[in-house]
Amino acid sequence: MNAPSLPRRAVAEFLGTAGLVAVVVGSGIAASRLSPADVGLQLLQNSLATALGLAVLIVVLQPLSGAHLNPVVTLVNSRTLERAPGRTQAVYVAAQVGGGIVGTLAALAMFEEPFALSAATRASVGTVFAEVVATAGLVGLIVVMARTGRAAWVGPAVGAYIGAAYWFTSSTSFANPAVTIARVFTDSFAGIGPTSALWFVAAQVAGAVVGGFAAAWLVRRATSEPIRE
């Protein structure tokens, strides 16, 4: 299969990120309606839908654009894996952010929810640190699997990781600047206030740097040194 042109890859990133955010926001709205008195059950429903939807989107779009669907994945992929030109990074990130916002609007339209900026305050010392941890783990997973020849398994692995990270992080693992920005535009279950979103994005960038370089170092050591009992 010939590599798609940059515009086609950008469209794939746009549609993939839109789909991902539609899953996150839409399932959050559905969960809050189906289980209005049980926040734990709402989170379970939201996390399950997100994990499955993300895995499917990556598997489908990976041959077309790499299925980054996440600006920090694009950053690390280009800096530590492919060293893609800066223009490609910029186009990918713009497509991801734009697609994410469209995904929020689509979810609101499907559930006939009003458009409103989120009033949810999510940022605290613990949740911001949790975003560093969540994003470092996500990026580390992708780098290790790509560098050890298991890229075909990235979709299921990332879906499973994000599904788990919903529960083991206090922030519910946004781990994606495009998704974080998109969730500002809904005051539903999945929303995040603008100020909290800024803190989360900063934490995600920091986590990506830590996870990317740590994973690259680990893989380099593992492939250059024999395993000793």
Side-chain angles (χ1 to χ4, degrees):
M1 177 178 176
N2 294 328
S5 64
L6 181 56
R8 289 176 183 269
R9 284 180 280 156
V11 170
E13 288 294 304
F14 179 93
L15 294 175
T17 313
L20 172 58
V21 174
V23 169
V24 173
V25 175
S27 64
I29 295 171
S32 64
R33 291 183 181 181
L34 293 169
S35 310
D38 192 335
V39 177
L41 185 55
Q42 292 172 15
L43 187 62
L44 177 61
Q45 293 161 342
N46 188 217
S47 63
L48 181 60
T50 300
L52 294 174
L54 178 57
V56 169
L57 286 167
I58 292 174
V59 170
V60 171
L61 296 174
Q62 196 172 30
L64 303 179
S65 67
H68 297 185
L69 315 182
N70 186 333
V72 296
V73 173
T74 296
L75 171 67
V76 173
N77 193 51
S78 59
R79 291 187 65 84
T80 64
L81 299 178
E82 297 175 353
R83 301 192 180 278
R87 176 170 170 267
T88 300
Q89 296 176 54
V91 170
Y92 267 44
V93 171
Q96 291 156 358
V97 173
I101 294 171
V102 168
T104 294
L105 299 178
L108 295 178
M110 287 190 289
F111 286 92
E112 299 181 8
E113 285 280 322
F115 170 82
L117 294 181
S118 177
T121 300
R122 293 180 180 262
S124 67
V125 173
T127 58
V128 170
F129 177 64
E131 280 301 292
V132 175
V133 172
T135 311
L138 172 65
V139 168
L141 179 158
I142 293 169
V143 170
V144 169
M145 295 196 74
R147 288 203 169 190
T148 55
R150 294 175 294 166
W153 288 94
V154 165
V158 168
Y161 174 81
I162 291 297
Y166 257 82
W167 293 91
F168 76 74
T169 65
S170 59
S171 63
T172 67
S173 183
F174 285 44
N176 185 328
V179 170
T180 303
I181 292 169
R183 289 169 68 168
V184 170
F185 297 97
T186 174
D187 201 26
S188 62
F189 178 81
I192 179 172
T195 301
S196 293
L198 290 174
W199 282 104
F200 273 36
V201 169
Q204 290 155 7
V205 172
V209 172
V210 172
F213 282 104
W217 180 81
L218 285 171
V219 172
R220 186 165 56 247
R221 294 277 299 201
T223 55
S224 63
E225 297 181 0
I227 297 176
R228 298 181 176 86
E229 296 295 336

